[in-house]
C-alpha cells in the first residue's frame, strides 16, 4: 500500500496501454489536432514483455487513413523499414485442394491514386514493432506518464472528476477516464456497461510463413468452407498467415508438427509463392463478436476493443480503434476550446453518436461475410462467386469498396485527413 494518499492529478487517465491505449495517449497529448492534454496511462503489463516476439505473433493492417494519423503523430517515421506497404488486395473463394473460383475481387492501390497521392492501400506491421514505436513515442512525449506494470483496482465517478485507484493504493484524479483495456474491459464492467454479442465456432490460427517467391505487396483473402484464409505481406519473403477454422479443426492443426502444418498450409496457399514453411511459433485465438451497449457514461469513454470486438476477416479491428481515438480527440479538443467540461455526458454523447454507427455497421458486415462465405452450401457458393465477379467488373462499386478498405470515406476526424 502506497503511503502517498494525495491523488496524482491529470486531464485524462487511460486504462490500458495496448496498441489503442498508447495511440490514444499520443493523439491526446501531442497537440497535433489542437491543445494538448496531460495524460496518464495505466497498464497491467511490463512494457519490456510486450515487445518480445514470443509475446504476440499477430500483425496489424494499418489502413491508409490510419497511416495518416501515424504520420501526424510521428509514429510512421519510427516504423520506417519495419512496415510492408499493401499494394493490392485479392479476394477469392474456393475449396481445399480444388483451387480458387475463377471469380475474384481485385483492389489495386494505383486505381485510387488520384485520391491517395500514390500511397498504398495500407501498411502491414508486426505488433511487436508497432508497440516498440508507440512506446518510443510515448517516452519522448512530455505530456504522458506511463505507469506500468500496475493494475486498476477501481474507478469512481463524481460530478467533477473520475478517480482511479490502483491495486498498490495510488490514486489518479482526472477530468475523464478512457477505457482501452480490451474486450474483457474491467473498467467497462465496473461502470455497469453491458455488452451484446456471440461467439463463433471458429478459432484463428496466426503464424509467420517464409516463402521462396516475393509477395509483391499483395494481400490475399481466400474464403474456404472453414473460414477465411488470409495471406498478408510482411517485410522480406514472409507473410502472416491468419487462418480461420472450426475450433475442432483448429485444435488438430495446432497439434501438428511443423512439417505437417506446412503441408496443410501449402494445400491452401497453392504454389504462387513457391515453397512455404513456418517461421516461428503458432498462436490460436477464439473468435467472437462483441459490442458495448454504451460507449460513454459521465467521465468515461470506451475505445478500441473495450467498445467493440469484431471478426478479423477484414483486418479492421485496430483501425476501428484508431478511428475511435481520432474522433474522441476532435470532440475533446473542440469542447475544451469553448470552455466545456470534457467529462460531461453532453460532450461525450457526440463521440458516441459519431462512432457507434461506424463500428456497428462494420461488425454486422464482417459477421455477414463470415456467415456467407464460411460454408460449402452450393447455391450460396454460386451467389457469392457471382457477387465477387460482378463487383470486380463494376468500377464504381470496386473503387467504393477500395476507399472503404483504405478508411478514406465518411466523416473523417482531423488526424486522419492528412
Amino acid at each position: 500500500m502506497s503511503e502517498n494518499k494525495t491523488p496524482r492529478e491529470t486531464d485524462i487517465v487511460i486504462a490500458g496501454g495496448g496498441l489503442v491505449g498508447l495511440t490514444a495517449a499520443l493523439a491526446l497529448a501531442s497537440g497535433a489536432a489542437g491543445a494538448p492534454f496531460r495524460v496518464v496511462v495505466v497498464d497491467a503489463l511490463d512494457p519490456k514483455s510486450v515487445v518480445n516476439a514470443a509475446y504476440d505473433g499477430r500483425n496489424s493492417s494499418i489502413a491508409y487513413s490510419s497511416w495518416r494519423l501515424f504520420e501526424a503523430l510521428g509514429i510512421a517515421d519510427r516504423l520506417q523499414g519495419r512496415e510492408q506497404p499493401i499494394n493490392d488486395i485479392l479476394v477469392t473463394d474456393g475449396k481445399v485442394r480444388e483451387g480458387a473460383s475463377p471469380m475474384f475481387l481485385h483492389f489495386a492501390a494505383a486505381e485510387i491514386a488520384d485520391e491517395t497521392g500514390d500511397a498504398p492501400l495500407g501498411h502491414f506491421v508486426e505488433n511487436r514493432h508497432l508497440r516498440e514505436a508507440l512506446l518510443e513515442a510515448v517516452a519522448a512525449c512530455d505530456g504522458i506518464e506511463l505507469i506500468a506494470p500496475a493494475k486498476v483496482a477501481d474507478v469512481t465517478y463524481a460530478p467533477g472528476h473520475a478517480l482511479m485507484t490502483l491495486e498498490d493504493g495510488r490514486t489518479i484524479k482526472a477530468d475523464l477516464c478512457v477505457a482501452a483495456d480490451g474486450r474483457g474491459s474491467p473498467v467497462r464492467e465496473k461502470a455497469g456497461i453491458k455488452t451484446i454479442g456471440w461467439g463463433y465456432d471458429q478459432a484463428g490460427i496466426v503464424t509467420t510463413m517464409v516463402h521462396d517467391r516475393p509477395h509483391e505487396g499483395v494481400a490475399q483473402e481466400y474464403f474456404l468452407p472453414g473460414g477465411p484464409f488470409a495471406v498478408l505481406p510482411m517485410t522480406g519473403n514472409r507473410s502472416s498467415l491468419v487462418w480461420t477454422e472450426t475450433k475442432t479443426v483448429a485444435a488438430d492443426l495446432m497439434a501438428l508438427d511443423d512439417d505437417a502444418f506446412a503441408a496443410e498450409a501449402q494445400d491452401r496457399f497453392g504454389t504462387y509463392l513457391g515453397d512455404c514453411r513456418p517461421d516461428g511459433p503458432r498462436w490460436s485465438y477464439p473468435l467472437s463478436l462483441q459490442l458495448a451497449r454504451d460507449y460513454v457514461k459521465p467521465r468515461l469513454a470506451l475505445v478500441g476493443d473495450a467498445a467493440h470486438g469484431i471478426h478479423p476477416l477484414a483486418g479492421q479491428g485496430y483501425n476501428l480503434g484508431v478511428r475511435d481515438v481520432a474522433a474522441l480527440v476532435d470532440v475533446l479538443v473542440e469542447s475544451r476550446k469553448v470552455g466545456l467540461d470534457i467529462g460531461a455526458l453532453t460532450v461525450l454523447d457526440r463521440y458516441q453518436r459519431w462512432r457507434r454507427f461506424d463500428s456497428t455497421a462494420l461488425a454486422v458486415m464482417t459477421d455477414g461475410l463470415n456467415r456467407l462465405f464460411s460454408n460449402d452450401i452450393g447455391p450460396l457458393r454460386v451467389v457469392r462467386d457471382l457477387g465477387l465477379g460482378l463487383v470486380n467488373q463494376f468500377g464504381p462499386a470496386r473503387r467504393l469498396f477500395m476507399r472503404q478498405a483504405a478508411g478514406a470515406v465518411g466523416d473523417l476526424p482531423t488526424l486522419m485527413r492528412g
Side-chain angles (χ1 to χ4, degrees), residues 17 39 45 61 71 112 146 159 174 190 201 241 330 346 354 363 372:
V39 180
L45 299 176
S61 176
E71 290 174 333
I112 56 171
L146 174 61
K190 288 179 184 295
D201 183 28
L241 176 60
D330 269 9
T346 51
W354 194 347
L372 175 63

Side-chain angles (χ1 to χ4, degrees), residues 200-327:
Y200 299 104
D201 183 28
Q202 292 176 318
I205 298 172
V206 179
T207 193
T208 299
M209 303 291 286
V210 61
H211 37 80
D212 294 336
R213 298 174 187 162
H215 47 58
E216 307 293 351
V218 178
Q220 302 260 1
E221 187 85 61
Y222 185 22
F223 285 100
L224 295 168
F229 182 89
V231 183
L232 307 170
M234 299 172 65
T235 54
N237 276 17
R238 300 182 304 148
S239 291
S240 174
L241 176 60
V242 183
W243 183 351
T244 303
E245 275 289 359
T246 63
K247 290 180 179 178
T248 300
V249 173
D252 292 340
L253 290 169
M254 289 295 292
L256 297 177
D257 62 28
D258 280 354
D259 289 341
F261 181 85
E264 290 290 340
Q266 190 85 58
D267 283 340
R268 293 155 177 82
F269 259 78
T271 58
Y272 78 100
L273 291 175
D275 183 53
C276 302
R277 50 207 175 275
D279 181 29
R282 291 169 240 157
W283 291 263
S284 180
Y285 304 93
L287 302 181
S288 63
L289 180 147
Q290 177 179 285
L291 295 170
R293 291 184 180 272
D294 297 294
Y295 286 12
V296 300
K297 279 199 166 186
R299 307 281 160 203
L300 174 64
L302 310 184
V303 296
D305 283 356
H308 41 68
I310 65 174
H311 196 287
L313 67 86
Q316 290 298 311
Y318 176 56
N319 292 296
L320 266 184
V322 172
R323 291 203 288 276
D324 292 344
V325 166

Side-chain angles (χ1 to χ4, degrees), residues 362-385:
L362 188 56
V364 170
M365 183 195 76
T366 54
D367 180 75
L369 287 174
N370 183 54
R371 295 178 188 278
L372 175 63
F373 282 90
S374 297
N375 62 73
D376 196 22
I377 301 172
L380 280 180
R381 180 176 291 279
V382 172
V383 170
R384 67 201 188 206
D385 286 356

Side-chain angles (χ1 to χ4, degrees), residues 164-222:
M164 178 180 290
T165 303
L166 308 186
E167 286 190 348
D168 64 8
R170 284 179 289 176
T171 55
I172 304 161
K173 184 179 180 181
D175 296 326
L176 174 67
C177 175
V178 174
D181 49 348
R183 289 199 185 203
S185 172
V187 171
R188 182 192 65 223
E189 292 182 2
K190 288 179 184 295
I193 298 177
K194 305 297 184 183
T195 62
I196 58 173
W198 46 83
Y200 299 104
D201 183 28
Q202 292 176 318
I205 298 172
V206 179
T207 193
T208 299
M209 303 291 286
V210 61
H211 37 80
D212 294 336
R213 298 174 187 162
H215 47 58
E216 307 293 351
V218 178
Q220 302 260 1
E221 187 85 61
Y222 185 22

Side-chain angles (χ1 to χ4, degrees), residues 389-403:
L390 287 172
V391 172
N392 194 63
Q393 292 300 315
F394 186 54
R398 185 179 63 253
R399 287 186 286 275
L400 174 61
F401 279 111
M402 289 173 64
R403 288 192 291 270

Side-chain angles (χ1 to χ4, degrees), residues 29 48 123 158 204 236 265 283 296 333 358 368-369:
K48 295 178 182 178
H123 297 78
W283 291 263
V296 300
V333 167
D358 178 37
L369 287 174

